[in-house]
Amino acid sequence: MNVVLAFDKFKGCATSQQLNEAARQALSDTFPSVKVDCVPVADGGDGTVEVLAATRQGQWLMMQAPGPLLQLPPVNARYYLCEDGTAFIEVAAASGLALVPDQARDVIRATTLGTGLLMRDAMEHGSQHIVLGLGGSATCDAGMGIMSALGAEFTDSDGHYLYPCGESLEIIRHIETRGIPQEVLDCRFTLLTDVDNPLCGKNGTASVYSPQKGASAQQVEQLERGMQHIAAIIGENCASQAGCGAAGGIPALMSHLLDCQLLAGAPYILAENGLDQALEHADLVITGEGRLDRQTMMGKGPGQVIQMAQRLGVPVAAICGLVDKDFDVPAAGLKSVMAVSDGLPLEEAISPVGTLARVATAATSLIGSLLTD
C-alpha cells in the first residue's frame, strides 16, 4: 500500500512537517510494508517558507527589521535563500499580525517596510527571484512600505514625503521611481496568495480584513478610499484581479512598479514540493489542517490536495483538529474524516505534543481499518 501524507499546519499546535513526520513514524513502526511519502503543504500564509524550504537546498538568513508598527521593538526576521538564488520570504516574518499585541493593533499606521528590507537583504545576497508568501499581515498599505524600502518615494500634493502606511494612500499624488536600484528592477517577484479578494469594494481588502487588524468603521472607510485611489493609479484591470487584495493589497503597488507574478499559493507550493509525482503511485492520501471549514475547499492547502488527488482517482482521507458544521464532507468527496481534538478542553486541544500523538494514532487506526477490510 502506498500512502501520501500531505498535512497543512494545525495553526498554533504543529507545523506541516511535524504532522507529516508524526504520522509517517507511526505508520512505519506499525505497518512496515506500507510505503509512505510526505509532501509538506501550505497555501501562501504563515508557515509557507518552512514548507518550501523543506524540499530545497539553501540556508536560513536572519536580520533585524522594523516590525509592522515602528513604536514597537524591531523584530528578528528570517528568510530562506536557496542555492539557486531564489529567496523565500513571508510577509508575516516582519509585518505579521502575530507581531502586534491585540491592544496595540493599529492597521491604519501599520507598514510593510520591514518586509521590503528583508527583500533588499536577499537581493544583496545575490537573489534575483523572490517568492513572497502574503498571508498573516498586520497591514493595509497596498505595498507602500515594501516599495519605500525598495527605493520608491511617495509625496502628497505639496511635495511632502509620505510615511508608508494605509493612512497615506488616499493622499498620494506622485510616485518617484528613480531611486529604485537596477538590481530591484531586474529581480523577479512571485507573490503567493491564500485569498482571492480584489483590492477594492465590499469584498476588497479594507472591507474584509482591516477590521480584524484593528480598524474602526471610520478607518475602514478611509482605507477603502485609499484603495480606490491606488486602483486609479494602477488601473482597473490590475485592481480587480483576484488576489490583488491579499495582505492589505501588497500586490497592487508591487505589480504596478516591478516584475511580479501573482499566483494562488497552494497549487504553486504543492507543485514545487512534488505532489503530482507522489500521487502517481498512491493508493491513499491523508491530508488535514487544524479546522476543516467552508474555506478549506476555496484555495486552502488541504482543499487543493483533495482536488489534485481526486483528478487522478486517488481516494483522500482527512485527519483534522475540528470539523465545522458548515463543512460538507460528502461534497468534498472524502473517504473519511477524523477530528482528533473534538470535545477536548482547549488547553489539551492545542497542546503540540498531544496533537501530534493523536494525529499519529488516528493515522494508524485509519490504515489499520483499510488493511483489514
Side-chain angles (χ1 to χ4, degrees), residues 322-345:
L322 299 170
V323 182
D324 250 21
K325 63 181 184 301
D326 62 1
F327 182 74
D328 192 334
V329 175
L334 292 167
K335 185 178 183 68
S336 69
V337 174
M338 304 174 75
V340 299
S341 300
D342 193 21
L344 295 178

Side-chain angles (χ1 to χ4, degrees), residues 7-23 41 46-47 50-51 288-291 321 340-341 349-360:
F7 283 95
D8 202 338
K9 65 184 177 295
F10 282 25
K11 194 165 186 176
C13 296
T15 66
S16 168
Q17 296 95 310
Q18 290 171 333
L19 291 158
N20 278 347
E21 178 56 24
V41 177
D46 47 340
E50 285 195 5
V51 165
E289 60 182 340
R291 180 187 292 270
V340 299
S341 300
I350 64 174
S351 162
V353 173
T355 296
L356 293 173
R358 290 192 298 273
V359 167

Side-chain angles (χ1 to χ4, degrees), residues 11 87 106 110 114 119 164 170-171 212 227 276 301-302 345 349 358 366:
K11 194 165 186 176
D106 187 12
M119 296 160 75
E170 65 178 325
I171 57 173
Q212 68 195 46
M227 294 302 166
D276 279 330
R358 290 192 298 273
L366 174 62

Side-chain angles (χ1 to χ4, degrees), residues 4 123 144 149 151 169 229 238 240 273 373:
V4 174
M123 285 179 252
M144 189 180 179
L169 294 176
H229 182 58
C238 183
S240 61
N273 286 353
D373 280 350

Side-chain angles (χ1 to χ4, degrees), residues 1-6 275 278-287 302 305-319 332-337 366-367 370 373:
M1 186 178 195
N2 296 321
V3 177
V4 174
L5 300 175
L275 181 62
L279 289 174
E280 288 177 2
H281 305 292
D283 298 304
L284 177 71
V285 177
I286 302 176
T287 189
V305 171
I306 293 166
Q307 291 167 5
M308 290 175 68
Q310 289 175 343
R311 283 198 293 269
L312 296 174
V314 181
V316 186
I319 299 173
L334 292 167
K335 185 178 183 68
S336 69
V337 174
L366 174 62
I367 298 304
L370 294 174
D373 280 350

Side-chain angles (χ1 to χ4, degrees), residues 15 21 30 43 77 81 98 110 118 120 122 151 201 226 229 236 244-245 271 299 303 305 339:
T15 66
E21 178 56 24
T30 310
D43 55 18
L81 183 64
L118 284 183
R120 283 294 291 267
H229 182 58
E236 182 60 32
C244 190
V305 171

